[in-house]
């Protein structure tokens, strides 16, 4: 199983949106028995909260489930439990690198996988209020991330 953890600051806006979009893509491709995803925040402030209303609204509009998602903080065991830690912005990336526990875990930024990306960081809609734009960027990032994972791993059904 390949495991992906999306990381932002509060785990209520961007990373839960990425988790939901990515899982939806994985499901559409029939890869859910091979790839799993979760999300977490650098900060602890919103632990136990459901995604922000703006994130829930845009996911509902797009028919993407966010059922049962609750915020949590990044924790020590994440370095053992995940293969890819995917940050939403440069600050999240640097914060993750500062607490890096293992070198065999990929630590990268979502938008770094998007050729000619409009933004290198996913802007924080908690402050900008622009959840539509974040949805657009995160969707592009998730498509490219899934392509990357499919290139880096082979998924075969066992009969
Ligand atoms: P997120 O947005 O990192 O995309 O979940 C934020 C949510 C909450 C806060 C900051 C960013 N906050 O400061 O509470």
């Amino acid at each position: 199983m390949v495991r992906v953890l999306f990381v932002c600051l509060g785990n209520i806006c961007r990373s839960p949106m990425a988790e939901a979009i990515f899982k939806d893509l994985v499901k559409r491709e029939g890869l859910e028995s091979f790839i799993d995803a979760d999300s977490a925040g650098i900060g602890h402030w919103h632990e136990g909260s459901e995604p922000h209303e703006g994130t829930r609204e845009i996911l509902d509009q797009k028919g993407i489930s966010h059922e049962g998602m609750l915020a949590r903080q990044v924790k020590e065991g994440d370095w053992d439990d995940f293969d890819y830690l995917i940050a939403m912005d440069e600050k999240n990336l640097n914060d993750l690198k500062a607490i890096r526990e293992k070198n065999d875990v990929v630590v990268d930024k979502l938008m770094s996988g998007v050729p000619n990306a409009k933004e290198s960081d996913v802007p924080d809609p908690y402050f900008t209020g622009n959840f539509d734009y974040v949805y657009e960027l995160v969707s592009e990032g998730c498509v490219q991330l899934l392509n990357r994972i499919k290139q880096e791993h082979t998924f075969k059904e066992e009969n």
Side-chain angles (χ1 to χ4, degrees):
M1 181 69 104
V2 173
R3 290 153 308 177
V4 181
L5 183 69
F6 294 98
V7 176
C8 64
L9 182 57
N11 192 214
I12 53 168
C13 299
R14 294 165 294 172
S15 62
M17 195 191 291
E19 175 190 343
I21 293 171
F22 186 76
K23 279 182 170 166
D24 184 65
L25 287 173
V26 165
K27 199 169 164 195
R28 282 165 196 252
E29 298 212 13
L31 292 171
E32 64 266 52
S33 55
F34 302 106
I35 306 175
D36 199 10
D38 191 8
S39 63
I42 297 291
H44 66 274
W45 318 288
H46 299 281
E47 232 159 20
S49 300
E50 59 181 2
H52 189 286
E53 190 184 8
T55 289
R56 284 186 277 125
E57 267 177 22
I58 188 94
L59 291 173
D60 288 342
Q61 260 177 47
K62 307 288 178 182
I64 297 175
S65 173
H66 50 80
E67 204 187 323
M69 293 176 69
L70 295 176
R72 72 166 179 90
Q73 190 172 25
V74 173
K75 59 180 193 292
E76 272 184 24
D78 289 333
W79 297 88
D80 295 317
D81 294 343
F82 292 93
D83 307 292
Y84 294 81
L85 300 188
I86 303 297
M88 294 300 120
D89 64 31
E90 192 71 23
K91 178 82 171 66
N92 311 149
L93 181 72
N94 289 335
D95 286 343
L96 281 175
K97 285 181 175 169
I99 55 166
R100 183 193 275 273
E101 287 173 24
K102 283 189 164 181
N103 283 324
D104 60 349
V105 177
V106 174
V107 183
D108 209 346
K109 237 177 9 173
L110 184 68
M111 297 314 290
S112 69
V114 179
N116 308 313
K118 289 190 206 93
E119 310 268 358
S120 60
D121 287 341
V122 179
D124 196 337
Y126 189 74
F127 302 109
T128 68
N130 196 341
F131 286 85
D132 288 18
Y133 185 47
V134 165
Y135 179 86
E136 191 187 311
L137 295 173
V138 169
S139 297
E140 287 171 0
C142 285
V143 167
Q144 295 305 328
L145 177 63
L146 184 53
N147 284 340
R148 172 183 177 177
I149 291 173
K150 288 195 299 190
Q151 278 169 12
E152 294 178 355
H153 301 267
T154 310
F155 302 115
K156 281 206 191 96
E157 291 289 352
E158 282 181 24
N159 295 310

